[in-house]
Amino acid sequence: MSRIVEVRPFMVNFEQGTGGADAARYGGRGNMMIVRIRTDDGLEGFGEGTLPHKTRAVAGAVEDFAEYLVGQDDTLIERHWQVLYRNSFQRGGVILMTAQSAIDQALWDIAGKRFGVPVWRLMGGAVRDRILLYTHPGGASRDELVDRTHQRIEEGYRAFKTGIPGTAEWISDRKKVQETYENIAAVRDAVGDDMKVMVDAHGKQTPTVAIEIANALEPLDLLFFEEPVPPRNVDAMLLVSAATNVPLATGERMYNRWDFRTTIESQAVAVLQPDLGHAGGISETRRIAAAAETYFMGIAPHNPRGPGVTLASLHIAACTPNFIIQESSIPIGGDALWDEMLVEPLVVEDGYVGLPQAPGIGIRFDESIAERYPFQGRDTGHPVLADGSVGDW
């Protein structure tokens, strides 16, 4: 029986390894946190728990969890999940669940390496031959948005998501509705009828404004309209769902199956978006997806992060029947940090990426990376509205 001998978090400044204007799209969002778990028989597992602006808090939670994990049998993944979630009177929340997610990924990584197979093979095998991706064109203007969409097509993508500019007013915002429609219509014109288009509202709207926007966008044939209202208010989401035919999606700010339960049971959305880096890792995302399947909901895992969450998400996509599409921040054309952390390159072709084939999850990490890309404190700035009040991202 093998035992865990080390659980160590590493903080890495991602933006140093992802240069240029596309840094945000490729996961260059400040600091990344990687967990390394070592066993007494020489195996190493890695998991990513990146949480912008809260890197040190997540690393501290990993160190707290390490007090239990060191000395334990590394193969007891589910037992360790239960202990980490339940051994404190205070459960869940984004800090603890992000730390737990990274640890869970690392334990599955060790399991795959121990048997010499990719993680999806340990979960019953693949249900598909390739994985559909979408990405973010970005752009500060409509013309730039369209131009970048064409660039993404050249890179191999066939599905695209963009957002609503700025923060909408609370009651009615016809100007914002029109601006959003014109932006998305320009993307639809650029990609044609056969490619997929999504819109992320970032939960910035009240139901009344969200309904206005959704109904305006309905003729553009969206795959889904993401976070039209803030998360966890199921009644608000149901108001939007009842007033539009556009499929709705939510879930990136829900952190375990209990957070998702009422949204699933109410059938408030068509698509759930658990994040492998926040929602309890591979183990818990698998359970969330299974619960969603019983209500005929699809999953499209959230992922604006680095190589660890990206690869972990692909393993879930490979073996999950109700998977729809995977958010992608894979750098096209090479990136120093990604190239160093990927065991095998990820190639986007005709909108898809192949199934991961490396044993475990498929990432590697040398602690010198943390030395070469050291943690840097981040500006805690936030959106500000015209009257000086706090806005939403």
Side-chain angles (χ1 to χ4, degrees):
M1 180 175 65
S2 56
R3 298 281 182 179
I4 296 170
V5 296
E6 179 194 65
V7 179
R8 183 177 173 186
F10 294 89
M11 300 185 294
V12 179
N13 187 266
F14 213 163
E15 286 183 345
Q16 296 179 71
T18 311
D22 284 343
R25 184 169 70 90
Y26 291 152
R29 295 170 180 264
N31 296 296
M32 175 174 62
M33 200 279 293
I34 295 291
V35 168
R36 181 181 69 196
I37 296 180
R38 284 176 164 168
T39 66
D40 60 5
D41 60 350
L43 290 179
E44 292 184 338
F46 303 101
E48 181 183 351
T50 299
L51 182 62
H53 306 296
K54 300 293 185 292
T55 307
R56 286 168 290 200
V58 176
V62 170
E63 291 172 345
D64 288 339
F65 285 148
E67 295 180 4
Y68 156 74
L69 287 166
V70 171
Q72 298 292 328
D73 180 348
D74 63 90
T75 66
L76 302 180
I77 299 174
E78 182 58 30
R79 178 182 293 184
H80 301 327
W81 199 100
Q82 295 292 329
V83 170
L84 297 184
Y85 185 78
R86 297 165 61 184
N87 75 347
S88 170
F89 184 72
Q90 305 294 340
R91 298 180 179 181
V94 67
I95 302 297
L96 294 180
M97 293 308 297
T98 300
Q100 184 164 348
S101 298
I103 290 168
D104 183 80
Q105 294 167 47
L107 291 173
W108 278 108
D109 191 31
I110 290 172
K113 290 172 179 175
R114 190 172 300 285
F115 291 100
V117 297
V119 166
W120 55 264
R121 288 197 179 275
L122 301 178
M123 296 186 168
V127 297
R128 54 185 45 83
D129 299 325
R130 55 182 184 166
I131 298 164
L132 182 62
L133 305 176
Y134 74 85
T135 193
H136 306 263
S141 67
R142 190 168 304 138
D143 288 343
E144 189 175 7
L145 175 62
V146 171
D147 181 61
R148 284 173 173 247
T149 299
H150 284 301
Q151 292 177 35
R152 305 296 85 89
I153 293 172
E154 291 297 318
E155 292 170 353
Y157 286 99
R158 300 294 181 266
F160 312 92
K161 187 175 77 178
T162 189
I164 293 173
T167 300
E169 297 292 338
W170 275 70
I171 304 301
S172 180
D173 197 338
R174 296 288 180 180
K175 181 178 179 181
K176 189 68 63 181
V177 172
Q178 185 63 27
E179 185 180 6
T180 301
Y181 173 82
E182 291 173 356
N183 283 355
I184 307 308
V187 172
R188 173 55 76 193
D189 288 343
V191 304
D193 295 334
D194 295 333
M195 297 191 189
K196 302 182 187 302
V197 175
M198 293 142 277
V199 173
D200 185 356
H202 261 209
K204 296 186 287 189
Q205 285 68 236
T206 59
T208 52
V209 177
I211 290 167
E212 283 186 283
I213 294 174
N215 287 336
L217 296 175
E218 185 174 333
L220 300 178
D221 188 26
L222 299 186
L223 181 63
F224 57 73
F225 184 35
E226 178 178 334
E227 276 201 322
V229 293
R232 296 188 182 84
N233 188 333
V234 175
D235 290 337
M237 189 71 78
L238 286 169
L239 286 174
V240 181
S241 179
T244 180
N245 292 318
V246 177
L248 304 183
T250 194
E252 68 182 73
R253 289 186 277 181
M254 300 178 189
Y255 308 124
N256 52 54
R257 76 196 89 157
W258 295 278
D259 276 1
F260 278 91
R261 183 178 66 85
T262 53
T263 298
I264 293 172
E265 291 176 349
S266 68
Q267 302 181 69
V269 299
V271 180
L272 293 181
Q273 299 171 290
D275 187 313
L276 273 287
H278 306 309
I282 291 171
S283 298
E284 187 74 343
T285 302
R286 180 85 157 152
R287 290 188 280 261
I288 292 165
E293 186 182 7
T294 66
Y295 285 85
F296 311 111
M297 292 178 179
I299 69 159
H302 177 255
N303 170 42
R305 306 295 180 227
V309 174
T310 298
L311 264 295
S313 298
L314 295 181
H315 287 277
I316 286 291
C319 62
T320 299
N322 55 326
F323 167 82
I324 296 174
I325 194 168
Q326 177 60 55
E327 184 172 14
S328 168
S329 298
I330 300 169
I332 305 299
D335 172 272
L337 189 52
W338 277 72
D339 292 347
E340 192 166 354
M341 290 184 63
L342 293 176
V343 175
E344 300 174 339
L346 293 170
V347 179
V348 181
E349 184 175 353
D350 195 30
Y352 293 85
V353 69
L355 305 185
Q357 297 298 331
I361 288 178
I363 65 167
R364 56 194 170 196
F365 185 84
D366 187 295
E367 60 187 74
S368 69
I369 292 175
E371 298 170 358
R372 287 180 281 120
Y373 302 100
F375 171 86
Q376 294 182 9
R378 296 282 292 164
D379 179 13
T380 57
H382 56 270
V384 178
L385 303 186
D387 64 358
S389 60
V390 177
D392 288 315
W393 293 106

